[in-house]
Amino acid sequence: MFISVFDIFKIGIGPSSSHTVGPMVAVQRYLSRLRELPGLSKRSYLRVTVTLHGSLAFTGKGHATDQAVCLGMMGARPDALDPDDVAPMMERLTSDKSVAHDGLPRMSFDPSHDVIFDYGPPLPLHSNAMTFRLVGEDGRAIDEFVYYSVGGGFVVTEAELSNTRNARDELKSQDVPYPFASAKQMLEMGREANCSIAEMKLANECCDKSREEVLEGIDNVWSAMDACINRGISADGILPGGLKVKRRASEIYQKLIREGRSNPPFEHTVMDWLGVYAMAVNEENAGGGRVVTAPTNGAAGVIPAVTRYYLDHCPGADAEGIRTFLLTAAAIGGIIKANASISGAEVGCQGEVGSASAMAAAGLCAALGGTNEQVENAAEIALEHHLGMTCDPIAGLVQVPCIERNAVGAVKAVTAASLALRGDGSHFVPLDGCIETMRQTGLDMSERYKETSTGGLAVNIVAC
């Protein structure tokens, strides 16, 4: 049940944690599996195919899933891949049509034929499924295995997915000092230990890492988030994919700078700053740049935007406050993932931007000195007002409505934190009830609205 801050916040590349980062991770896991199979070194011919099912098929082209599979087959890992290396790597694979790895014989892999899009019904366990097949010279499968990319870059097997669901149902204890599996347990443990949520989360993280390692890792996460914002507010041009969406963050940022020098700003201009920070990140994500899953790539702009807002616009903000922010946000994200989902393919965008907004609201509330009860209230307010949000990206691209949706999610997060800080933490709807409502809503939601681009804006707006 324990989900680390470094599981929630993973450095990778865009445009999607479930469709880009996850498939690359799945390929690495499959290659490790092949190294354990006996007798492969004696084979004169081997070929690998990868079939994408469900949402991975329907929006795979727009999310660059086929490219992610190819990069993974060439040994690329999302946390280490330089986005500038993608094009030459793809050119090389298109020419060679084969891959070689330590401990394995050279295997045939043709990008144009061996990544297969299955547009039929999704596999029963999860919409984001990938079937790997190792084929011999006679065309028969030597090995076949399925992985599931369940959101946020997490990849599981069928057995692991079943174990995760059993753990969710049974709320099994975690082998950490503060094994909270729900918001209720989190608040109870905080009261008993007289600890903040961030302090409990840090203690849990320090079970297998030193305090210095954990804090350095958190600082690195924020550094990557901040660098992504800075790249986004410096870049211009047209995003890839065919929609001809123009990058806007740089232009808006420059306008805000000029206006700040010449005129007293409107009070609501702070929302423009939140928006431009979030859009900068999601434009980078849409362009295949380096981003941090927070908790997914499609929602990657909300938490960096609100953290940057805290740093740039809140008196007394400091590095320790950022650590408190991210530890608290990760604690809330872990509860949401354990009890519902952060996957757009499972529950729609309520699980992505909704979760990110709840995490950001909680983090900001904590960084500004909120009590545990106020933090839980902030998260609940933000999540409650994203319930039912669909995932219907036009042309399967993480651009429209995703980029602006992150900006609005960031504004909602600040509003939720502010409302919670004005109260004493008591409120009507508990966060656990809101999370369960999100899970049930996702189950009831039509597949057309869960990252398949077969409903909503994706069919009502013509992609020119």
Side-chain angles (χ1 to χ4, degrees):
M1 287 292 294
F2 176 63
I3 301 173
S4 169
V5 62
F6 305 113
D7 292 326
I8 294 292
F9 300 128
K10 299 194 233 6
I11 299 173
I13 64 168
S16 171
S17 52
S18 60
H19 287 56
T20 309
V21 176
M24 291 175 69
V25 172
V27 171
Q28 296 305 316
R29 290 196 64 176
Y30 188 65
L31 292 175
S32 296
R33 173 184 169 82
L34 292 185
R35 291 186 179 96
E36 302 298 321
L37 294 182
L40 291 189
S41 60
K42 300 177 181 178
R43 295 275 184 170
S44 60
Y45 174 86
L46 293 171
R47 173 188 171 211
V48 177
T49 69
V50 183
T51 301
L52 307 175
H53 307 277
S55 175
L56 292 181
F58 283 106
T59 59
K61 290 288 185 183
H63 287 63
T65 306
D66 48 348
Q67 178 175 276
V69 170
C70 293
L71 294 169
M73 289 298 297
M74 298 186 75
R77 297 178 182 275
D79 59 340
L81 177 63
D82 185 337
D84 291 336
D85 291 339
V86 170
M89 289 177 69
M90 291 299 298
E91 290 176 6
R92 187 162 67 251
L93 182 60
T94 300
S95 173
D96 294 347
K97 296 182 174 56
S98 65
V99 295
H101 297 278
D102 291 341
L104 291 171
R106 179 167 288 276
M107 296 177 291
S108 175
F109 184 79
D110 184 346
S112 62
H113 294 99
D114 294 333
V115 181
I116 303 160
F117 291 80
D118 174 14
Y119 297 109
L123 299 192
L125 288 184
H126 196 281
S127 179
N128 289 342
M130 307 172 63
T131 299
F132 289 81
R133 291 183 182 87
L134 182 67
V135 180
E137 54 271 359
D138 58 1
R140 295 183 179 180
I142 299 169
D143 183 68
E144 181 173 306
F145 204 79
V146 178
Y147 290 98
Y148 300 90
S149 181
V150 295
F154 291 88
V155 172
V156 295
T157 65
E158 179 177 342
E160 290 166 346
L161 186 60
S162 298
N163 288 340
T164 298
R165 289 175 175 174
N166 289 337
R168 176 191 299 166
D169 294 338
E170 297 170 16
L171 294 178
K172 292 180 179 177
S173 295
Q174 309 165 34
D175 188 19
V176 291
Y178 301 100
F180 52 84
S182 67
K184 180 181 179 182
Q185 291 178 344
M186 178 181 70
L187 294 177
E188 290 172 348
M189 290 179 189
R191 283 191 290 267
E192 290 172 3
N194 193 28
C195 287
S196 70
I197 294 168
E199 288 169 340
M200 291 189 292
K201 184 63 174 169
L202 179 59
N204 289 347
E205 296 291 335
C206 291
C207 284
D208 61 357
K209 295 183 180 69
S210 70
R211 178 185 174 89
E212 291 72 23
E213 284 179 303
V214 173
L215 295 180
E216 181 181 0
I218 293 169
D219 292 344
N220 289 338
V221 165
W222 168 240
S223 179
M225 289 178 172
D226 195 38
C228 188
I229 292 175
N230 292 334
R231 287 194 306 273
I233 58 178
S234 302
D236 53 22
I238 304 298
L239 293 171
L243 289 183
K244 300 181 181 178
V245 172
K246 179 184 176 183
R247 284 181 180 253
R248 291 181 289 163
S250 176
E251 182 178 349
I252 295 172
Y253 177 76
Q254 292 302 323
K255 286 181 178 179
L256 288 169
I257 293 292
R258 290 194 299 270
E259 290 170 5
R261 291 171 181 161
S262 58
N263 300 306
F266 292 113
E267 293 292 338
H268 65 251
T269 298
V270 70
M271 293 190 292
D272 297 335
W273 284 105
L274 276 164
V276 78
Y277 298 148
M279 290 172 65
V281 171
N282 284 87
E283 287 175 357
E284 279 295 292
N285 178 62
R290 182 170 294 281
V291 298
V292 179
T293 62
T296 66
N297 282 28
V302 177
I303 290 171
V306 178
T307 309
R308 182 73 169 260
Y309 162 81
Y310 161 75
L311 192 62
D312 290 355
H313 300 274
C314 296
D318 57 17
E320 190 60 34
I322 291 176
R323 291 171 175 173
T324 295
F325 188 121
L326 294 178
L327 282 164
T328 305
I332 298 300
I335 291 171
I336 294 173
K337 176 171 172 52
N339 294 284
S341 176
I342 58 171
S343 168
E346 271 195 317
V347 296
C349 198
Q350 58 175 353
E352 296 207 27
V353 171
S355 296
S357 188
M359 293 164 65
L364 179 62
C365 186
L368 294 178
T371 65
N372 289 353
E373 287 74 18
Q374 288 172 321
V375 167
E376 187 262 358
N377 188 14
E380 186 281 324
I381 293 170
L383 184 60
E384 178 182 339
H385 298 289
H386 284 88
L387 290 177
M389 183 175 284
T390 60
C391 182
D392 51 354
I394 296 176
L397 298 167
V398 192
Q399 297 178 17
V400 182
C402 316
I403 295 171
E404 289 180 353
R405 188 168 284 178
N406 275 256
V408 175
V411 171
K412 284 187 179 182
V414 174
T415 302
S418 183
L419 284 171
L421 286 166
R422 295 291 182 183
D424 61 4
S426 60
H427 55 105
F428 193 81
V429 178
L431 177 58
D432 289 328
C434 194
I435 292 171
E436 174 59 16
T437 301
M438 183 181 77
R439 187 187 72 83
Q440 292 178 7
T441 303
L443 291 174
D444 292 339
M445 189 180 290
S446 167
E447 294 297 325
R448 292 180 297 158
Y449 303 116
K450 294 196 283 190
E451 209 171 7
T452 60
S453 288
T454 57
L457 289 175
V459 299
N460 288 309
I461 305 299
V462 177
C464 298

